[in-house]
């Protein structure tokens, strides 16, 4: 036996119990009380929680965006992931006119093979159907394990938006292939109208980023996406849900039996639009923006009631000097914030404070993302699964500072956030990759996760 984690409290999406976990050749081979086994490495987890590694199914690493490239490379982003208990990351490469899905994804894979510190998968953003050839190619992409594709209903000027006809074609094709469409929902025309007005009035601070994309601007597109998906009877996954009205439309569709999945992010659970009034408000600029208290309350309520399916980060940090480009004009601020290392600790802190259960955190951050996106070897502490394991100390206090993170960015929206409880170790397929504040893994050890399609 390679590894025996003894006497910890094993947490699954359904229950928690004291047990030993035995690992051999990267897999969990036994779970039980007082396992009578010898191992090369024995870890005493008495008093600690033993959790499955998280999957962050929404990241933008080394992404060309906003006139620059997001600040975390595949190396630094996946290193930070390991240190935050995330053992699988999903990246979102963006296909542009003339590009193929597999040409793009394979070019990213070639970098990750050398740089990945945790396992990785891809959703592919589609921005142009290339006269229909993309619809053809989707079949091959699904066979290669890319079983979800993203549509931006926004970023029109950036040439990333798809129109409703393209969205409908993609929804139908994905359904036919047992794949799924993920959607970033905001209405670009309303945003542009608002931006034009605010700039003409000299209203240029980060607060106007929020006011140009308020609740109803996201809600219109959420509802439109859900409308198309439900009427075409196709599954849909709404990324980074941030507003109450859109969320309610998703909940109604779920209650009516439609396959609608909802993701939200820690930043929407922690911050409201008030952050944009701060002197450093531009650092919080992301799309969709943080919304009002009513939306935040609705997100927490839905999360507790089981209507939110996943938590992911939308990790897309930029350096301070890049955020400063928009000091006098909010439209020049690159959109995106950091979070990859903070998601699991933040959600676990919420459980430690009694806001939700530890089982629910495991469900939201690990079991559901693995199930929804076809990572059959991931997402649970169970015999036969990959030994992606986090050991969590409920009593360890931790304050987030940019200096104790493992990314390449120079500031974080999470600066000063105090957490009660923190991961002390992360194992990737049985190998220790994070140990008490230090990344101890191997660069390039992360493997591609070939996902399986949904049963139709
Ligand atoms: O502001 C954000 N979210 N930046 C990353 C790209 C996206 O929209 O997800
Ligand atoms: Zn987005
Ligand atoms: Zn995103």
């Amino acid at each position: 036996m390679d590894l025996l984690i003894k006497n910890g409290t094993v947490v699954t999406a359904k229950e928690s119990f004291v047990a030993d976990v035995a690992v051999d050749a990267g897999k969990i081979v036994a779970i039980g009380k007082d396992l009578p086994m010898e191992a090369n490495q024995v870890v005493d987890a008495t008093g600690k929680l033993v959790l499955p590694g998280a999957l962050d199914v929404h990241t933008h690493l080394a992404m060309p965006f906003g006139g620059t490239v997001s600040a975390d490379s595949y190396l630094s982003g996946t290193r930070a992931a390991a240190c935050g208990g995330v053992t699988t990351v999903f990246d979102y490469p963006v296909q542009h006119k003339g590009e193929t899905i597999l040409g793009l994804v394979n070019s990213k894979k070639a970098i990750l093979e050398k740089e990945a510190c945790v396992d990785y998968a891809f959703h592919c953003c589609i921005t142009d159907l290339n006269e229909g050839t993309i619809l053809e190619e989707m079949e091959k992409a699904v066979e290669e394990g890319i079983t979800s594709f993203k549509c931006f209903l926004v970023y029109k000027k950036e040439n990333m938006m798809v129109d409703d006809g393209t969205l409908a074609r993609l929804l139908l094709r994905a359904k036919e292939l047992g794949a799924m469409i993920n959607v970033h929902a905001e209405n670009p025309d309303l945003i542009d109208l608002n931006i034009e007005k605010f700039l003409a009035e000299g209203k240029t601070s980060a607060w106007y980023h929020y006011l140009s994309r308020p609740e109803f601007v996201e809600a219109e597109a959420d509802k439109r996406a859900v409308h198309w998906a439900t009427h075409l009877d196709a599954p849909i996954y709404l990324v980074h849900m941030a507003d109450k009205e859109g969320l309610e439309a998703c909940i109604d569709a779920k209650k009516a039996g439609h396959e609608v999945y909802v993701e939200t992010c820690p930043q929407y659970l922690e911050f409201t639009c008030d952050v944009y009034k701060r002197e450093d408000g531009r650092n919080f600029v992301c799309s969709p923006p943080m919304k009002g208290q009513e939306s935040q309350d609705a997100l927490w309520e839905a999360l507790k009631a089981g209507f939110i399916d996943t938590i992911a980060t939308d990790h897309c940090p930029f350096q301070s000097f890049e955020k400063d480009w928009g000091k006098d004009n909010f439209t020049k601020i690159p959109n995106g914030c950091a979070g990859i290392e903070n998601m699991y600790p933040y959600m676990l802190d919420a459980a430690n404070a009694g806001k939700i259960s530890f089982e629910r955190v495991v469900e939201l951050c690990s079991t559901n993302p693995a199930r929804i996106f076809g990572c059959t070897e991931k997402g649970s502490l169970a015999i036969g699964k990959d030994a992606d394991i986090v050991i969590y100390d409920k009593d360890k206090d931790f304050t987030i500072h940019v200096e104790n993170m493992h990314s390449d960015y120079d500031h974080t929206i999470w600066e000063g956030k105090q957490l009660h409880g923190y991961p002390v170790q992360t194992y990737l397929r049985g190998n220790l990759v994070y140990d008490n504040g230090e990344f101890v893994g191997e660069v390039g050890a992360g493997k591609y996760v070939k996902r399986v399609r949904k049963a139709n």
Side-chain angles (χ1 to χ4, degrees):
M1 200 65 50
D2 291 332
L3 170 68
L4 189 59
I5 299 172
K6 287 197 72 66
N7 212 30
T9 299
V10 172
V11 185
T12 73
K14 297 252 170 315
E15 57 182 344
S16 300
F17 51 91
V18 174
D20 301 344
V21 179
V23 174
D24 202 41
K27 295 281 182 191
I28 297 173
V29 293
I31 299 178
K33 247 195 139 14
D34 301 323
L35 290 177
M37 289 164 174
E38 306 252 298
N40 296 334
Q41 196 194 346
V42 178
V43 175
D44 179 9
T46 307
K48 309 272 196 309
L49 301 188
V50 182
L51 311 161
L55 290 82
D56 185 352
V57 293
H58 189 158
T59 72
H60 302 276
L61 302 176
M63 184 204 194
F65 194 52
T68 180
V69 176
S70 60
D72 263 327
S73 64
Y74 284 113
L75 196 163
S76 63
T78 55
R79 179 181 64 207
C83 299
V86 171
T87 45
T88 306
V89 303
F90 279 55
D91 197 43
Y92 268 115
V94 182
Q95 172 265 357
H96 292 282
K97 193 174 175 61
E99 284 180 332
T100 62
I101 299 169
L102 289 171
L104 173 69
V105 166
N106 289 338
S107 70
K108 306 290 179 190
K109 244 189 199 173
I111 305 171
L112 276 153
E113 273 162 17
K114 295 195 192 84
E115 297 192 0
C117 302
V118 297
D119 290 351
Y120 54 91
F122 303 96
H123 315 279
C124 187
C125 305
I126 306 291
T127 71
D128 192 287
L129 294 183
N130 287 346
E131 281 142 28
T133 56
I134 288 289
L135 295 171
E136 292 291 311
E137 197 198 2
M138 279 168 74
E139 183 166 18
K140 181 85 180 108
V142 169
E143 280 164 19
E144 296 292 324
I146 299 141
T147 58
S148 44
F149 305 88
K150 183 179 188 180
C151 292
F152 291 106
L153 303 189
V154 71
Y155 302 138
K156 193 176 187 176
K157 289 182 176 147
E158 293 83 349
N159 288 326
M160 287 158 73
M161 188 187 101
V162 299
D163 59 23
D164 289 351
T166 305
L167 171 65
R169 282 184 178 82
L170 285 165
L171 282 165
L172 288 169
R173 180 64 170 151
K175 172 183 155 183
E176 190 174 75
L177 295 170
M180 187 153 62
I181 298 301
N182 306 349
V183 167
H184 172 150
E186 288 183 290
N187 184 305
D189 297 325
L190 289 174
I191 295 168
D192 286 345
L193 189 80
N194 289 332
I195 288 176
E196 204 181 294
K197 175 174 171 289
F198 291 137
L199 291 185
E201 292 168 356
K203 294 173 173 165
T204 59
S205 75
W207 175 242
Y208 293 95
H209 172 72
Y210 163 63
L211 284 188
S212 64
R213 336 167 74 108
E215 278 76 348
F216 69 91
V217 167
E218 182 180 338
E220 184 281 330
D222 288 328
K223 289 177 173 175
R224 181 159 36 100
V226 170
H227 176 84
W228 281 115
T230 54
H231 285 280
L232 297 172
D233 193 25
I236 193 165
Y237 179 94
L238 285 105
V239 303
H240 51 41
M241 176 61 63
D243 79 289
K244 182 178 180 208
E245 196 181 332
L247 174 62
E248 283 171 352
C250 294
I251 294 173
D252 287 348
K254 277 170 173 286
K255 285 183 177 164
H258 295 291
E259 202 179 343
V260 173
Y261 299 101
V262 180
E263 167 196 287
T264 193
C265 311
Q267 56 271 32
Y268 302 117
L269 297 170
E270 175 69 7
F271 304 107
T272 67
C273 53
D274 283 350
V275 291
Y276 299 115
K277 294 179 179 160
R278 286 169 44 162
E279 202 278 316
D280 63 346
R282 62 187 168 280
N283 290 341
F284 294 80
V285 163
C286 58
S287 293
M290 281 46 129
K291 302 296 199 308
Q293 190 62 55
E294 219 188 320
S295 281
Q296 187 179 87
D297 292 346
L299 288 171
W300 272 109
E301 207 181 298
L303 192 145
K304 289 177 189 169
F307 292 121
I308 286 179
D309 299 286
T310 63
I311 302 290
T313 64
D314 196 13
H315 184 82
C316 190
F318 294 96
Q319 305 294 13
S320 301
F321 81 90
E322 294 162 325
K323 290 288 193 185
D324 286 351
W325 291 337
K327 212 154 29 81
D328 303 315
N329 180 344
F330 66 92
T331 65
K332 303 238 179 320
I333 305 167
N335 284 203
C337 300
I340 208 166
E341 194 167 346
N342 313 113
M343 171 182 82
Y344 215 16
Y346 175 79
M347 295 308 296
L348 290 163
D349 170 83
N352 222 359
K355 216 165 172 178
I356 48 174
S357 69
F358 283 105
E359 291 83 357
R360 180 77 176 124
V361 175
V362 164
E363 186 176 37
L364 287 161
C365 298
S366 184
T367 309
N368 279 356
R371 177 180 53 79
I372 293 167
F373 289 115
C375 303
T376 52
E377 312 293 296
K378 307 286 187 189
S380 183
L381 296 181
I383 292 169
K385 297 277 185 191
D386 282 355
D388 296 340
I389 300 172
V390 172
I391 300 186
Y392 178 79
D393 182 348
K394 286 208 277 186
D395 300 318
K396 181 174 172 155
D397 288 313
F398 187 90
T399 304
I400 301 172
H401 294 298
V402 70
E403 294 81 15
N404 56 25
M405 296 290 96
H406 298 79
S407 279
D408 273 351
Y409 50 69
D410 65 353
H411 71 279
T412 169
I413 58 170
W414 297 97
E415 185 68 38
K417 174 72 185 168
Q418 295 181 349
L419 301 172
H420 184 54
Y422 208 74
V424 287
Q425 289 191 326
T426 306
Y427 292 85
L428 175 69
R429 286 178 274 102
N431 298 305
L432 187 64
V433 292
Y434 171 74
D435 193 17
N436 265 303
E438 301 294 327
F439 174 70
V440 296
E442 204 187 307
V443 174
K447 284 200 164 61
Y448 174 61
V449 179
K450 187 171 176 182
R451 299 186 284 134
V452 299
R453 71 179 77 210
K454 301 159 75 66
N456 266 329

